[in-house]
């Protein structure tokens, strides 16, 4: 099953791109690799969801309940559009989930969250705390500098076509890791 993302009119995309990072509405290599997930699980969270592609993949793969989270409020609209386009239900949980108790999900999926030092530290802490409480954690990463390879074990690797508008090569190696 291939996933589909909503296309924005060019004038709206131009306006949004001028204000926001492009990731929320476009495919990135880790989202695409995460989209290959086929495990069936009861309750899944796609944290730092951007466009919601990983959440949609989890729903299409049979997860009973799927939620998407991001601190960027415009992601809620992107997730709703993309979930509708793919005929799945994905709830949206806005706000910062990195501090405090880990959210109560069976699985947390985190795609491309280790892009800067401070967020990398916060995401690692949350994912390790969630894992310690019994949550399965999967992180997708295209080789970012701040990815904590010492803490994770690689479970998959994909060569993913992307666009040179947002990446430095038309094909990136995206890896899926677990704790």
């Amino acid at each position: 099953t291939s996933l589909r993302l909503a296309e924005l009119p060019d004038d709206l995309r131009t306006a949004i791109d001028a204000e926001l990072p492009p990731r929320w509405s476009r495919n990135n290599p880790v989202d695409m690799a995460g989209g290959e997930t086929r495990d069936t699980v009861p309750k899944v969270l796609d944290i730092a969801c951007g466009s919601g592609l990983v959440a949609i993949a989890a729903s299409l793969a049979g997860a009973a309940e799927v939620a998407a989270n991001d601190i960027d409020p415009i992601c809620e609209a992107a997730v709703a559009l993309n979930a509708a386009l793919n005929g799945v239900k994905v709830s949206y949980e806005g706000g910062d989930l990195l501090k405090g108790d880990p959210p109560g999900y069976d699985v947390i999926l985190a795609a491309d969250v280790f892009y800067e030092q401070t967020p990398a530290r916060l995401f690692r802490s949350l994912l390790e705390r969630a894992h310690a409480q019994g949550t399965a954690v999967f992180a997708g990463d295209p080789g970012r500098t701040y990815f904590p390879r010492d803490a994770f074990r690689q479970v998959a690797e994909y060569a993913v076509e992307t666009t040179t508008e947002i990446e430095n090569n038309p094909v990136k190696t995206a890896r899926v890791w677990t704790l």
Side-chain angles (χ1 to χ4, degrees):
T1 303
S2 63
L3 299 175
R4 300 175 351 171
L5 290 179
E7 287 298 319
L8 298 175
D10 287 340
D11 58 337
L12 179 57
R13 181 181 298 278
T14 300
I16 291 170
D17 286 351
E19 297 297 320
L20 299 171
R23 180 178 187 272
W24 77 270
S25 64
R26 297 189 184 141
N27 298 354
N28 73 47
V30 175
D31 281 343
M32 296 301 292
E36 296 295 323
T37 301
R38 297 283 185 252
D39 295 327
T40 300
V41 293
K43 197 172 175 187
V44 176
L45 174 67
D46 175 7
I47 193 164
C49 67
S51 65
L53 187 63
V54 173
I56 293 164
S59 184
L60 289 171
E65 182 180 331
V66 180
N69 161 264
D70 208 290
I71 59 171
D72 184 344
I74 201 156
C75 292
E76 183 173 9
V79 169
L81 283 169
N82 290 323
L85 186 63
N86 286 277
V88 297
K89 181 181 177 199
V90 175
S91 63
Y92 188 81
E93 187 174 340
D96 185 352
L97 300 181
L98 298 179
K99 298 171 186 138
D101 293 334
Y105 290 87
D106 300 307
V107 175
I108 295 178
L109 305 172
D112 202 11
V113 298
F114 298 100
Y115 50 87
E116 291 176 354
Q117 190 170 18
T118 298
R121 181 180 45 78
L122 294 171
F123 276 106
R124 179 179 179 169
S125 174
L126 170 73
L127 297 174
E128 287 177 337
R129 287 182 284 123
H131 179 70
Q133 292 183 355
T135 300
V137 170
F138 293 92
D141 186 75
R144 304 287 185 216
T145 300
Y146 297 106
F147 181 76
R149 283 166 191 76
D150 62 319
F152 286 81
R153 176 179 51 85
Q154 183 177 326
V155 294
E157 181 175 304
Y158 303 93
V160 180
E161 291 183 28
T162 187
T163 174
T164 54
E165 291 177 11
I166 60 172
E167 295 293 344
N168 58 351
N169 290 307
V171 177
K172 295 287 283 189
T173 300
R175 293 172 179 87
V176 180
W177 305 77
T178 192
L179 289 172

